[in-house]
Amino acid sequence: MSLEEINLIWLEGQDCAGCTISIKQASNPTLIDILTGAIPGLGGLKLAFHPTLMFEWGEDAAKVLIDAMEGKYDPFVLILEGAIPDEGKAGEGVFCGIADYEGKLLKLSDVIDGLAKRCAAAVAIGTCASYGGIPHGNPNPTGAKGLLDYLGRDWTGGLGLPVICVPGCPPRPDNMVQVLGQAVLAARGLAPLPELDEWHRPVALFGSTMHELCPICGFYAEGTDAHGFGETGCLGALGCKGIISHCNNTTWVDGYGGCTGTGVPCFGCTEPEFPDPPTSPFFAKAPAMPFIIENITGMLAHAEMGFERFKPIIESLLPQIPEFIEVLDKQMEEEKDKGRKI
Amino acid sequence: MVGEREITIEPITRIEGHLGVHAKLDTDARKISDAYAYSPMFRGFEIILVGREPSEAVMITQRSCGVCPVPHALSSVIACDQAYGVTPPPMGVTLRDFVHGAEQLYDSEIGVINLEGPDYSEVAIKKFNTGWWEEAQNKKAERSGVHGFATIADIMTALNPLAGELYLRSLLVQKTAHNMATIFGAKHPHVHSFVPGGIAKINLSVSDIESYLTLLMRNVAFAKELVAASDDLLDFVLAQGYEDVGAREKNLYSVGAYDDPEAYSANYGEMTDWARKRMVSPGVILNGELVTTDLIEQNVGVREFIGRGWYSDQWQQEVETDPAGNKVALEHPWNKRTLPKPGEYAKWDSKYTWVTSPRWWNWKGDGKNHVVELGPLARMWVTAKAGIVPASTGNSLKFELPAALIPGFKCADKMDFEWKIPAKPNAIERVRARAYYNAYSACCMLEKVMKALDLMKAGKTKVWTRYEKPEEGIGVGMVEAMRGSCQHWCVMKKGVIYNYQYQAPTTWNASGRDPDENPGPYEEALINSPITETGDAAGWKGIDIVRTIRSFDPCLGCAVSVHIGKKIVKHELLPFATPL
């Protein structure tokens, strides 16, 4: 397939538009850079459908979806924001309709079914679209699930890629443009494909925990806990879930914000279980096991780190030891001689 | 049946969430004869909330809407303050308002320029109101000294989606307002720092406030252009016979915003007092008359009917009186019990939407339930009429923004603003009020920055009050979101949420017919509204309908939420109540 022109079809399911509001803040590149084709390699992208941003409405908007299902927008990338409800639970009603076409309400799930058959790639933006997020919170009233579950882990798009997930509630602005950007560059043979983890998150962005990247992790290392909000210290006792959350929110965007750096405990909003345990109760302490494991492995690692750091000093002293012993021997001899003289 | 056409518009794009409109058009008289607004999406937030810590509602409810999360967080945290009985320190209140004000700035810029703007852009005018274009090209823009556009047509061109100068610059400026919110909110959308008793912000320094102020000045500079360009454009459109498009009666409702940090308290009984000290006034206007500015009276008057919503009701009078001793109606959200009951699509004479029908009960006055409109027009109107804040003259709001020479912005001088109460609420005046509210919010935040520096000087840097969480509590939080009043009600039992109800402004504005068959505000605004769209009636796309709906700046995500019965979801709890 020719990839000079690529359409983006961005659907909103059980969503809040928060991911859209977030991507509007991206800096590297900005959304405008992408849509105006200002970045070499990322040109030729057209936002064919986006409920919050597109000019068209009503029938004209619905027609884009119908045409896309019939192949008139090939090649296209399917982007989903928001979860997918189980319409089987809605009886004669509907939990998520997204367009009216000729008097018939198009359900989100029907449109996804139609588009998934022919899209070049599918990207789930945000925790709802990835894993179900807030709508799938206990007791999951609408049977909501994410795209990964809905299409299945074995599903692949036209380019041979499985569903790519960019979790976060919402994801950091730059995370979204970076993943979309890399996917497009990779499709055009200009960059490697993103490596994905077991939850289909790009490893380059989600390979570390928030605890590992935490800007105030030094307080944890030195053993200083905060016991109230506004107090400077590790936020673990206030409910921080950084140790179980795969995230890179050291600052939100442009160097401003960032959860733990501001003083806010991490709530694990990038995790598949969010907003249920172990990410919640939000203000309750994270499970102890990761800390215990970290402390044990940490002690051994610290010993090794210490040894590694002192090794040069020890090594620099070693050659001097025979000489030192010689000096000592000499002195001992001298002392003995003195004794003998007395 | 000569000259009648039905039109269904779904999706209505360039709004937050899922909204459709079904309308009947009288093509001979060129007006809308009937209209139904509906939302086809449901998630069930209130069901997910039951059994959790009330403080978790602060994090979860804001996720109903990514466009206006902060008013949800703020209303929710105020309800929690009351339920827990903890009053934050003045700096905590100020920093919460910093985040709130920042969000209002971005939200109004996006609303006026990027969501509503394209409907008045060159692209739209040439397509739908072909007659206007030539006149717009010849019409000099009165305020071009401020915004730099010579003619009205130039402003229209600047609004072209993804190409126009205003459209693109607005996208860049709104980023700075998000940055302002993240300094104290950690991230935005969905700020994580709002906690009962204050705000979670460490290492607060003067440089945090300076960063905020620096970014604020960019928005101050943009506000001048935004208001001047909006005034020129909207005056032109009004003159094209737009006076009655989207018009409805003067029934308006505001709960106010931007608290006085020294006056705010978690005491429900003092709410009337501290709410009147807000920089944006609370109040209800019925038939053009201001009937109250008492927030307690407003709270007691809230009634939420099922109306044409896909729910079955199950009322239970569990709360007899509010904490101040006023009798609470059966349909008050503290008592509300609702069950989702999905129904068939497009049954206009039966149930047709996921939105309920909240109405304001004038219990101290005529005893009737009123259909009231919420939004920037309503709160500017109330604030202008109430005469409480210094800017209020009784029929206008007068304020100024300081000089600021910032590269990339066109007006470096100080500028005086006067927003005047218009003849009637209509589509154009709603957009204009949104632009002016941007400028007024910038003005309020400038004052708040000075207040924050005063607090710093006085050493009042505490951001959070320690508390012991009680077992039982009740609270209400009410604050203005961009598109109108955001109201949260919490009943806590055994330390967890027993009942949590919330209403977004769009729950009111997008509501369908109530039990008395009165249409909701969107529907009222559409019914009898003239049609200006050019071309053959069979090909009409409904530009006047979408302009009217978008003038309310809908946000459907939050409008649709529901509580289910008394079921307590088992949830393992750890005592956050008293942090270690």
Side-chain angles (χ1 to χ4, degrees), chain B residues 433-450:
Chain B
R434 187 162 302 112
Y436 272 87
Y437 192 69
N438 174 277
Y440 186 62
S441 287
C443 174
C444 293
M445 287 308 118
L446 279 170
E447 207 180 312
K448 284 217 165 274
V449 166
M450 294 305 139

Side-chain angles (χ1 to χ4, degrees), chain A residues 25-329:
Chain A
Q25 301 171 52
S27 281
N28 301 301
T30 67
L31 187 62
I32 304 173
D33 290 330
I34 293 179
L35 295 178
T36 56
I39 310 294
L42 288 183
L45 298 182
K46 191 171 167 278
L47 195 57
F49 189 92
H50 189 306
T52 309
L53 297 174
M54 71 197 296
F55 177 78
E56 298 82 4
W57 60 86
E59 208 179 56
D60 289 351
K63 186 82 170 36
V64 175
L65 298 177
I66 300 288
D67 286 349
M69 287 191 270
E70 288 169 1
K72 292 181 190 157
Y73 283 85
D74 288 354
F76 68 89
V77 176
L78 169 64
I79 301 166
L80 177 66
E81 174 178 2
I84 310 159
D86 177 0
E87 296 291 359
K89 281 186 154 190
E92 58 179 7
V94 58
F95 281 144
C96 190
I98 58 170
D100 178 296
Y101 192 70
E102 292 177 344
K104 201 173 153 264
L105 188 66
L106 300 178
K107 291 176 188 166
L108 171 75
S109 46
D110 295 343
V111 175
I112 290 179
D113 292 345
L115 295 179
K117 282 181 200 148
R118 53 186 327 125
C119 66
V123 182
I125 292 280
T127 304
C128 296
S130 298
Y131 316 120
I134 292 273
H136 99 315
N138 188 12
N140 196 351
T142 59
K145 57 167 82 160
L147 196 61
L148 185 59
D149 241 17
Y150 187 82
L151 292 180
R153 283 163 182 267
D154 299 331
W155 177 93
T156 53
L159 293 170
L161 284 171
V163 174
I164 302 172
C165 298
V166 191
C169 193
R172 285 185 66 213
D174 282 352
N175 281 183
M176 288 178 276
V177 285
Q178 283 157 356
V179 173
L180 287 171
Q182 191 181 350
V184 171
L185 291 176
R188 290 170 172 167
L190 298 170
L193 286 169
E195 186 197 338
L196 305 179
D197 71 6
E198 56 166 334
W199 288 101
H200 290 218
R201 300 175 280 213
V203 173
L205 295 173
F206 298 93
S208 301
T209 64
M210 195 58 234
H211 179 64
E212 286 169 320
L213 300 180
C214 179
I216 58 166
C217 204
F219 291 107
Y220 172 73
E222 73 179 25
T224 305
D225 260 341
H227 296 294
F229 296 107
E231 248 175 57
T232 306
C234 172
L235 303 165
L238 296 173
C240 186
K241 309 294 190 302
I243 197 147
I244 53 166
S245 304
H246 299 80
C247 181
N248 56 62
N249 189 13
T250 48
T251 65
W252 182 242
V253 69
D254 299 339
Y256 298 99
C259 291
T260 55
T262 304
V264 178
C266 164
F267 301 140
C269 71
T270 55
E271 294 307 291
E273 298 87 359
F274 181 77
D276 290 333
T279 67
S280 67
F282 299 146
F283 296 100
K285 282 182 243 171
M289 196 45 85
F291 285 107
I292 295 170
I293 294 170
E294 191 194 61
N295 278 332
I296 294 170
T297 56
M299 253 182 337
L300 299 172
H302 272 116
E304 198 192 330
M305 266 166 79
F307 177 69
E308 287 295 317
R309 280 176 202 187
F310 284 113
K311 219 162 91 180
I313 301 171
I314 296 166
E315 279 173 353
S316 73
L317 289 175
L318 281 178
Q320 294 170 30
I321 289 174
E323 201 182 311
F324 184 61
I325 293 171
E326 213 170 286
V327 173
L328 273 182
D329 278 354

Side-chain angles (χ1 to χ4, degrees), chain B residues 259-260 262-265 267-278 282 293-296 388:
Chain B
D259 279 299
D260 176 343
E262 312 277 1
Y264 172 78
S265 90
N267 186 335
Y268 178 86
E270 293 168 5
M271 190 162 79
T272 302
D273 197 37
W274 57 254
R276 282 200 182 119
K277 289 185 177 156
R278 285 177 161 177
T293 56
D294 178 349
L295 198 55
I296 291 184
I388 302 175

Side-chain angles (χ1 to χ4, degrees), chain B residues 330-398:
Chain B
L330 177 66
E331 300 87 357
H332 189 276
W334 272 329
N335 286 323
K336 194 191 142 208
R337 286 292 180 274
T338 330
L339 293 158
K341 193 180 166 194
E344 255 182 276
Y345 176 62
K347 297 285 170 214
W348 310 115
D349 50 358
S350 167
K351 289 178 181 278
Y352 58 82
T353 181
W354 276 117
V355 185
T356 55
S357 299
R359 298 290 183 257
W360 194 71
W361 172 41
N362 187 9
W363 58 288
K364 282 195 175 171
D366 62 13
K368 289 183 185 148
N369 302 317
H370 295 269
V371 181
V372 287
E373 168 180 342
L374 285 51
L377 179 63
R379 63 179 169 266
M380 296 286 276
W381 202 309
V382 166
T383 309
K385 215 166 165 68
I388 302 175
V389 300
S392 175
T393 66
N395 48 34
S396 73
L397 276 182
K398 278 172 108 162

Side-chain angles (χ1 to χ4, degrees), chain B residues 31-272:
Chain B
K31 67 183 183 79
I32 299 165
S33 46
D34 204 0
Y36 299 87
Y38 64 94
S39 173
M41 194 269 275
F42 173 74
R43 288 169 297 184
F45 269 66
E46 289 158 351
I47 303 173
I48 296 164
L49 284 170
V50 174
R52 289 175 183 259
E53 289 267 2
S55 55
E56 291 197 14
V58 180
M59 305 306 155
I60 291 181
T61 56
Q62 49 179 325
R63 288 178 156 86
S64 50
C65 178
V67 177
C68 51
V70 174
H72 282 294
L74 192 48
S75 305
S76 184
V77 86
I78 291 172
C80 286
D81 285 347
Q82 287 179 15
Y84 290 17
V86 53
T87 299
M91 186 61 95
V93 178
T94 305
L95 297 187
R96 283 178 182 177
D97 274 348
F98 272 173
V99 179
H100 183 211
E103 187 184 282
Q104 302 313 292
L105 293 175
Y106 113 80
D107 206 342
S108 43
E109 288 152 6
I110 287 286
V112 174
I113 304 282
N114 303 99
L115 302 181
E116 292 138 41
D119 289 336
Y120 305 94
S121 67
E122 180 192 346
V123 177
I125 298 301
K126 283 183 168 170
K127 203 167 172 184
F128 303 113
N129 297 100
T130 45
W132 300 1
W133 182 246
E134 202 185 324
E135 202 184 327
Q137 281 176 307
N138 297 325
K139 176 90 179 159
K140 292 234 171 334
E142 244 179 77
R143 300 160 184 87
S144 75
V146 180
H147 54 62
F149 299 106
T151 65
I152 301 299
D154 290 340
I155 299 175
M156 290 171 167
T157 304
L159 290 170
N160 281 344
L162 284 169
E165 188 205 324
L166 272 174
Y167 185 97
L168 294 177
R169 278 181 63 225
S170 165
L171 282 179
L172 288 179
V173 176
Q174 60 92 29
K175 260 167 66 67
T176 63
H178 285 289
N179 291 345
M180 289 161 70
T182 59
I183 296 172
F184 306 105
K187 60 195 270 288
H188 186 277
H190 308 330
V191 299
H192 280 178
S193 62
F194 286 21
V195 288
I199 193 164
K201 165 79 180 112
I202 55 172
N203 303 335
L204 176 67
S205 67
V206 172
S207 49
D208 285 328
I209 299 170
E210 271 181 290
S211 297
Y212 186 89
L213 181 56
T214 306
L215 296 165
L216 174 58
M217 290 315 290
R218 277 149 184 70
N219 287 271
V220 164
F222 192 63
K224 298 170 188 170
E225 294 175 42
L226 177 69
V227 168
S230 301
D231 265 340
D232 277 341
L233 174 75
L234 299 175
D235 285 348
F236 173 84
V237 178
L238 266 188
Q240 310 303 312
Y242 236 72
E243 195 69 46
D244 288 324
V245 174
R248 59 180 294 284
E249 294 302 312
K250 298 166 195 164
N251 296 316
L252 309 159
Y253 182 96
S254 160
V255 294
Y258 310 146
D259 279 299
D260 176 343
E262 312 277 1
Y264 172 78
S265 90
N267 186 335
Y268 178 86
E270 293 168 5
M271 190 162 79
T272 302

